[in-house]
Amino acid sequence: MTQEQPAPDEDRAPISWEALAAELAATRQADAGRDEHDPVTWDAVAAELAARVSDSPVEAPPEPAPVPEEPEPPQDPTPADVPAGEPAPEEPADELLELLTAEELQGGLEALLFLMDDPVDEETLAAAMRCPVEQVRAGLSALADGYDQRRSGLALRQVGEGWRLYTRDEHAPVVERYLIDGQRSRLTQAALETLAVIAYRQPVTRARVSAIRGVGVDGVMRTLLTRGLVHEVGSDPDSGGGLYATTPLFLERLGLRSLQDLPELAPLLPETSAMLDEHPDS
């Protein structure tokens, strides 16, 4: 009796992974009474499965279903992503611009221009007012027209790219008379103290002089500038404020050849004990 030869591979039904899993589960149920950890039992199961797998082709395991990819959130284009020749998108402003009433606009512009010593451009005024530049431009024109219509002592003029308040030409005699009379009057105690601080600490900013004296010095500084005793010599690199120093007229009025002839401060300072007696809480 001859042994049956196995059928060719193309005539055999392929063994699927699902069928192997089902048969393994049935084998485990049939051997439920046996010890699951018995190596003899599992060796027999493994040998039978190995024989069947070697005799029959095995289907490839099913591929897992593709997981749909989530779309990435849109990102703002970086300067490298912007095509050449096109400007990069501007970042949104932190604060929204407001449209002001005519009274708020002209009042704010007048206050800012009164504080400025130099012409100020429209962009700077718009940033301070937090309103569009177009509204500032219209407000400046309306403010200048209002000064002209009521023949105010002030005139608002555009100088270069900035705006500044000036005294009106027809009131020049009054201004000159005041300045000439002021040249002949004595300096106040506040003006003398301010002048002394500038003389010993020059070049110095207005803010530094105010900090040393403990009071504002804007009015006194205008007097000293008008008298020609101090002048602006540059700007502070840290704060951007103007730096002030004494003029040759200051030396002439005090009879000094140079700043080195100023008296030493140490002999003029009060004793520490005297300071403590006058200010016991300090």
Side-chain angles (χ1 to χ4, degrees), residues 18-136:
E18 290 80 0
L20 290 175
E23 186 170 347
L24 179 60
T27 304
R28 294 187 61 184
Q29 291 178 0
D31 298 338
R34 303 177 185 177
D35 185 3
E36 294 184 356
H37 300 286
D38 184 6
V40 177
T41 301
W42 289 106
D43 288 345
V45 173
E48 182 180 354
L49 290 177
R52 296 191 58 181
V53 169
S54 60
D55 295 339
S56 301
V58 180
E59 293 181 348
E63 297 182 358
V67 179
E69 298 181 358
E70 298 182 359
E72 297 182 358
Q75 299 179 356
D76 295 334
T78 58
D81 299 331
V82 178
E86 296 185 6
E90 298 181 357
E91 297 182 357
D94 294 338
E95 298 178 359
L96 297 178
L97 300 180
E98 301 178 359
L99 292 178
L100 307 177
T101 63
E103 292 77 10
E104 293 174 340
L105 179 63
Q106 294 189 13
L109 291 175
E110 194 171 25
L112 291 173
L113 291 169
F114 179 78
L115 295 176
M116 300 296 179
D117 294 331
D118 301 319
V120 56
D121 57 83
E122 297 170 354
E123 289 76 13
T124 302
L125 293 172
M129 297 292 296
R130 295 182 181 176
C131 66
V133 177
E134 294 75 11
Q135 191 179 16
V136 168

Side-chain angles (χ1 to χ4, degrees), residues 121-172:
D121 57 83
E122 297 170 354
E123 289 76 13
T124 302
L125 293 172
M129 297 292 296
R130 295 182 181 176
C131 66
V133 177
E134 294 75 11
Q135 191 179 16
V136 168
R137 187 177 297 114
L140 291 170
S141 300
L143 190 60
D145 293 342
Y147 286 148
D148 295 337
Q149 291 175 5
R150 59 188 176 91
R151 306 305 299 171
S152 171
L154 299 176
L156 179 59
R157 302 173 187 170
Q158 187 174 12
V159 182
E161 297 181 355
W163 294 76
R164 185 179 181 183
L165 288 175
Y166 294 88
T167 56
R168 197 171 294 278
D169 295 340
E170 59 191 74
H171 301 295

Side-chain angles (χ1 to χ4, degrees), residues 153-237:
L154 299 176
L156 179 59
R157 302 173 187 170
Q158 187 174 12
V159 182
E161 297 181 355
W163 294 76
R164 185 179 181 183
L165 288 175
Y166 294 88
T167 56
R168 197 171 294 278
D169 295 340
E170 59 191 74
H171 301 295
V174 178
V175 177
E176 292 176 359
R177 187 162 53 249
Y178 167 76
L179 294 177
I180 293 175
D181 293 342
Q183 293 282 357
R184 298 172 183 171
S185 62
R186 288 174 172 267
L187 291 175
T188 62
Q189 182 68 23
L192 290 173
E193 292 177 1
T194 302
L195 184 59
V197 172
I198 297 174
Y200 281 95
R201 300 299 298 270
Q202 60 183 309
V204 64
T205 62
R206 291 192 186 190
R208 182 58 179 166
V209 177
S210 298
I212 294 174
R213 292 199 57 225
V215 294
V217 297
D218 290 344
V220 177
M221 287 293 296
R222 282 194 291 269
T223 300
L224 297 177
L225 288 168
T226 303
R227 296 284 188 97
L229 298 174
V230 299
H231 64 149
E232 188 172 355
V233 294
S235 59
D236 183 54

